[in-house]
Amino acid sequence: MLKIRKRDEPWKWGALVVFLGALLFSLVLSALLLKGQGKDALYGLTVLWQGSFGNVWSLEDVLLKAIPLFLCSLGVAVAFRMQIWNIGAEGQFALGAIGATWMALAFPGLPRFVLLPLMFVMAFILGGVWALIPAVLRLKLRVNEIISTLMLNYIAILLLDFLVFGVWKDPASYGFPMTPEFTEGAIIPGIAGSRVHWGIVFCVVVGIGLWAFMRFTRLGFELTASGEGARVARYAKIRYGMLVLLVMGLSGGFAGWAGCVETSAVLNRLQPSLMVGYGYTAIVVAWLARLEPLNIAFASFLLAALRVGVENMQLKLQIPAAFGTIMEGIILLTVLAGQFFLTYKLVRKPRQE
Amino acid sequence: MWDFLIPLFAATVQSGTPILYATLGEMMTEKGGVLNLGVEGIMAVSALAAFWASFVTGSPWLGFLAGGFAGMVMASLHAFVCVSCLGNQVVSGLALTILGGGLTHFLGVPYVGLAAPGFDPFNFPLLSQIPFLGDIFFKHDMLVYVSFVIPVLFWFFFRRTSLGLHVAATGEMPAAAAAAGLKPIRLRYLAVIAGGFLVGLGGAYLSLAYTHLWTNGLSGGRGWIAVALVIFAFWRPGRAVVGAYLFGGVMAFQLRLQAAGTHLPSSLLLMLPYLLTILVLILSAWRGRRIDAPAALGTNIEPEG
């Protein structure tokens, strides 16, 4: 018989072992899934690997996808740290894109060094405000933020549809729902002629900024302390309500930035194909990274690689992109189950009692 | 006037039915103290499983059961992660939704656009002849009639059977329940898996009765609405019926407006159910009945030792 025992001291490297174990487990399960669909599983996994890391082109693609994931996950993680369940990154991302597009369409003639900052500011504001709605509802009326942020995702996506099918539609788009292409001043340029754009440098700055804020400021400390719950925070004389607003505003603002970067640098216009679920994958990333900024960079890169690899499989094995979503779900569930072993261990119990 | 209202109310009952099954399923789960945010994913998977089983066997009833069974399988994943491995209930539910969405888009590909035998409406003997009420409630398919009985059974289970009381006890105070000689872990598994079965029936309704077709994204946010309705209903089956039909009404109304060709853009009309969900949460929070939630909802049972 096995018995559950609490660990006396934390398991060094345990988190990494659990993470890698989950990755391996999900690969095995996905191989089985491919086999069930009558595909060559081993070939499939090779295609997955080559698609992600095989050549410069795909590595560029991974970095491009890691950028919005990183920004969204940072936002999600900041809120999760305080035990505020912001599931609304997807909607806040959409609002950021809307804000950026708004500026890009309103002031097409402005030079880049004026227009881009305007877009970033508006994206942060709209994304942040979208996240403040559930924050205020939670503080004033104790409305469950999990469901309100989720509902706001659906509403945001429909709002985006409304705009690109209606008032913002390009008359020259032959009926396709999209805005006109942005002017040069509204586009984040690539670095040294590559496809990877300056958004990646922006990510590094934001990431370090957030880390420093959490580490060295009083507010950042209060934020982590409030993660223990509203009551503890109140005992420590922390203005819990203010912190919730701050955290949700930041959280939504980061997701908004992701929407701005993606619209400006990658699509160069607003269109519904912008919404590919970065906001939901961000939840997976944040949790895998155990809410630490540096880990988030690593996990975003990994999950971006998974997305790019699956695109390659899609092409070569004729499977739907949803395959990547399945893997994300499995990885997350396995990590959740595996984290049990960080606190507990199973010991053999002698037969006699 | 009645020519417009009676068909609208009848459509209300029909579109409220899958939400009713799912709401009762989540309520069952939460009564045992476990929050399952995977309802949306479970509904999607069970809709596909139900469609597939009915397509292959030609029997919609087998399809219905397959939907419930798929719901049980998905829910037992959640139970394993949360009850046995003490995983975070919020995140595990989200993972289940992510997984469910992926699975249906992946496995459903060969069936997109195909039709399977489903449930057709028929006039319920005698009852359908009652004026007004007959037209609204008794000219539906068999699964709607089944859904009339389930809230009553639900109420009976929690109020009149000892097993029901034991489940509710683990949702309130698992430690006390254990001290009284009950097995909280086992009871929680039961609540999560039985709840998953009910949610699965709701998913099956979508592919077998609501449409007879398989398309992606069939659940369309209904799972999340169900989670919100459990709060709105204060964990009581009777109010779940009211809430489910409220949403059924808005969905039916919105579809009718679109069909009538209003000048309002469809994207704005489609927002209605989601806006209503937020409104419903505000209303239930405003009435301040949070005390009705199972006291141990969302907290895992730590093993001793």
Side-chain angles (χ1 to χ4, degrees):
Chain A
M1 265 305 273
L2 289 172
K3 196 177 175 345
I4 297 166
R5 234 335 134 58
K6 204 156 195 159
R7 282 179 190 278
D8 302 325
E9 52 201 70
W11 178 16
K12 217 180 167 194
W13 302 111
L16 191 66
V17 171
V18 167
F19 178 67
L20 292 177
L23 224 52
L24 191 70
F25 182 70
S26 80
L27 282 176
V28 171
L29 269 189
S30 342
L32 288 176
L33 202 60
L34 283 179
K35 233 177 163 66
Q37 296 281 296
K39 314 271 179 192
D40 184 345
L42 216 59
Y43 173 66
L45 293 184
T46 325
V47 169
L48 181 73
W49 175 262
Q50 282 173 347
S52 321
F53 306 110
N55 52 47
V56 180
W57 178 269
S58 43
L59 264 179
E60 278 182 342
D61 239 11
V62 172
L63 285 178
L64 279 179
K65 288 193 163 60
I67 291 168
L69 267 182
F70 175 75
L71 288 171
C72 287
S73 320
L74 270 193
V76 168
V78 163
F80 279 15
R81 258 179 183 245
M82 242 187 104
Q83 306 232 22
I84 312 280
W85 300 104
N86 177 17
I87 317 296
E90 186 80 356
Q92 292 141 18
F93 175 85
L95 260 287
I98 289 172
T101 306
W102 182 13
M103 292 296 104
L105 295 180
F107 309 107
L110 287 180
R112 182 172 278 152
F113 69 93
V114 186
L115 185 50
L116 271 183
L118 261 181
M119 288 164 68
F120 271 88
V121 169
M122 190 49 84
F124 190 90
I125 292 177
L126 286 198
V129 165
W130 204 246
L132 281 179
I133 301 171
V136 169
L137 288 178
R138 179 189 150 126
L139 286 174
K140 292 284 163 207
L141 295 162
R142 293 204 288 169
V143 170
N144 184 318
E145 79 278 11
I146 300 172
I147 304 165
S148 58
T149 49
L150 250 158
M151 292 297 119
L152 286 170
N153 287 348
Y154 286 101
I155 294 171
I157 292 168
L158 287 166
L159 187 66
L160 194 151
D161 280 352
F162 169 70
L163 290 169
V164 293
F165 276 97
V167 285
W168 282 355
K169 188 155 110 184
D170 180 9
S173 71
Y174 304 102
F176 286 109
M178 47 168 73
T179 65
E181 195 165 5
F182 289 175
T183 50
E184 215 188 308
I187 295 175
I188 302 172
I191 300 175
S194 78
R195 288 193 304 145
V196 180
H197 53 80
W198 286 95
I200 201 161
V201 178
F202 178 74
C203 283
V204 174
V205 174
V206 171
I208 293 176
L210 183 72
W211 172 80
F213 167 74
M214 300 290 275
R215 184 76 197 272
F216 299 117
T217 67
R218 187 183 153 77
L219 219 58
F221 164 76
E222 291 185 343
L223 214 146
T224 312
S226 308
E228 310 294 320
R231 275 236 312 270
V232 177
R234 232 160 263 145
Y235 282 131
K237 296 234 170 66
I238 292 170
R239 293 148 300 166
Y240 184 72
M242 272 294 297
L243 274 184
V244 170
L245 293 180
L246 174 78
V247 156
M248 281 298 273
L250 267 184
S251 190
F254 285 173
W257 272 342
C260 173
V261 169
E262 191 70 2
T263 321
S264 162
V266 177
L267 292 178
N268 304 337
R269 55 156 49 106
L270 190 64
Q271 60 189 71
S273 67
L274 173 76
M275 305 307 296
V276 289
Y278 285 130
Y280 293 113
T281 302
I283 299 168
V284 184
V285 170
W287 201 258
L288 291 186
R290 317 191 80 214
L291 313 181
E292 292 288 344
L294 188 66
N295 294 352
I296 288 176
F298 176 66
S300 322
F301 182 78
L302 214 70
L303 284 192
L306 177 64
R307 274 179 176 244
V308 176
V310 167
E311 275 175 15
N312 196 34
M313 290 173 86
Q314 215 179 331
L315 222 64
K316 296 207 170 126
L317 277 88
Q318 276 81 48
I319 55 156
F323 189 71
T325 320
I326 299 178
M327 287 186 71
E328 282 177 20
I330 297 174
I331 295 173
L332 189 49
L333 279 173
T334 322
V335 162
L336 277 171
Q339 280 171 348
F340 174 79
F341 295 103
L342 299 184
T343 342
Y344 298 95
K345 58 183 172 184
L346 297 176
V347 291
R348 207 185 296 273
K349 193 170 73 173
R351 279 221 169 255
Q352 77 279 16
E353 294 234 359
Chain B
M1 186 65 180
W2 291 117
D3 292 347
F4 175 75
L5 280 185
I6 288 182
L8 178 66
F9 286 149
T12 293
V13 171
Q14 210 212 1
S15 48
T17 299
I19 301 176
L20 179 58
Y21 279 113
T23 306
L24 290 175
E26 177 66 11
M27 200 180 278
M28 170 77 88
T29 309
E30 291 191 13
K31 278 272 192 186
V34 179
L35 179 69
N36 185 355
L37 295 181
V39 182
E40 180 78 5
I42 296 179
M43 277 185 102
V45 168
S46 52
L48 178 62
F51 180 89
W52 174 81
S54 173
F55 185 82
V56 170
T57 65
S59 156
W61 280 108
L62 279 181
F64 189 52
L65 284 180
F69 184 71
M72 282 170 66
V73 172
M74 289 287 282
S76 42
L77 281 180
H78 185 63
F80 177 71
V81 169
C82 299
V83 182
S84 293
C85 300
L86 310 173
N88 184 300
Q89 293 182 8
V90 173
V91 184
S92 168
L94 291 171
L96 215 58
T97 290
I98 292 172
L99 177 68
L103 276 176
T104 43
H105 279 77
F106 183 75
L107 298 175
V109 172
Y111 306 103
V112 171
L114 294 182
F119 293 90
D120 291 312
F122 66 95
N123 293 351
F124 201 91
L126 292 175
L127 291 175
S128 63
Q129 280 155 31
I130 307 171
F132 297 113
L133 293 183
D135 287 327
I136 294 170
F137 288 105
F138 294 103
K139 291 185 176 173
H140 291 289
D141 51 84
M142 210 42 214
L143 301 189
V144 171
Y145 305 136
V146 173
S147 80
F148 292 160
V149 188
I150 293 194
V152 182
L153 291 178
F154 189 101
W155 175 87
F156 185 83
F157 177 72
F158 279 106
R159 283 300 168 86
R160 291 283 180 275
T161 69
S162 59
L163 185 59
L165 290 171
H166 293 170
V167 169
T170 61
E172 292 293 341
M173 287 181 87
L182 303 177
K183 300 242 181 280
I185 302 279
R186 239 180 258 179
L187 288 165
R188 281 202 162 179
Y189 262 95
L190 176 80
V192 176
I193 291 174
F197 181 76
L198 280 178
V199 172
L201 296 186
Y205 189 85
L206 291 174
S207 59
L208 295 179
Y210 202 67
T211 66
H212 295 193
L213 289 171
W214 175 252
T215 49
N216 278 323
L218 214 50
S219 46
R222 287 182 181 80
W224 295 112
I225 290 171
V227 177
L229 278 182
V230 175
I231 302 172
F232 170 77
F234 306 139
W235 293 265
R236 281 185 216 148
R239 288 184 54 108
V241 178
V242 177
Y245 288 157
L246 178 68
F247 273 91
V250 168
M251 285 179 166
F253 180 68
Q254 173 259 109
L255 275 179
R256 253 143 227 274
L257 265 188
Q258 277 192 58
T262 56
H263 293 294
L264 282 169
S266 65
S267 35
L268 292 187
L269 283 176
L270 286 169
M271 282 180 195
L272 281 178
Y274 308 119
L275 284 171
L276 181 67
T277 308
I278 298 179
L279 195 71
V280 148
L281 282 176
I282 292 175
L283 281 179
S284 30
W286 185 47
R287 295 229 1 231
R289 297 288 294 272
R290 204 147 275 257
I291 327 117
D292 293 321
L297 180 61
T299 32
N300 288 326
I301 305 171
E302 305 272 336
E304 71 262 41

